Amino acid sequence: MKSLLSSKPVLWFLFLFNLAVAAVAPFAVDGSQGIMTAVGMGVVSLGAGVSLARGRGQQQA
């Protein structure tokens, strides 16, 4: 499972999908639930983005 989650296509999907949901959630869901959804999805997107950046740095070295 770890190799699947750390593959580039999955990381790109997690990054882009969760970023899009985080951007739309406050407008689609009212109140604190929309804000907390945006924060949660943003954290997942940030984690996937950091993993992509680390993988890119390891390839160049």
Side-chain angles (χ1 to χ4, degrees), residues 1-47:
M1 187 63 135
K2 185 177 180 180
S3 63
L4 174 67
L5 289 176
S6 62
S7 68
K8 273 200 169 206
V10 172
L11 287 173
W12 274 110
F13 173 76
L14 286 172
F15 176 67
L16 294 173
F17 178 77
N18 287 305
L19 186 64
V21 171
V24 172
F27 303 108
V29 181
D30 290 332
S32 62
Q33 187 175 4
I35 293 170
M36 292 308 294
T37 300
V39 168
M41 292 295 207
V43 167
V44 172
S45 179
L46 184 64

Side-chain angles (χ1 to χ4, degrees), residues 40-59:
M41 292 295 207
V43 167
V44 172
S45 179
L46 184 64
V50 167
S51 293
L52 282 169
R54 282 186 182 167
R56 185 175 186 179
Q58 290 174 354
Q59 281 182 349

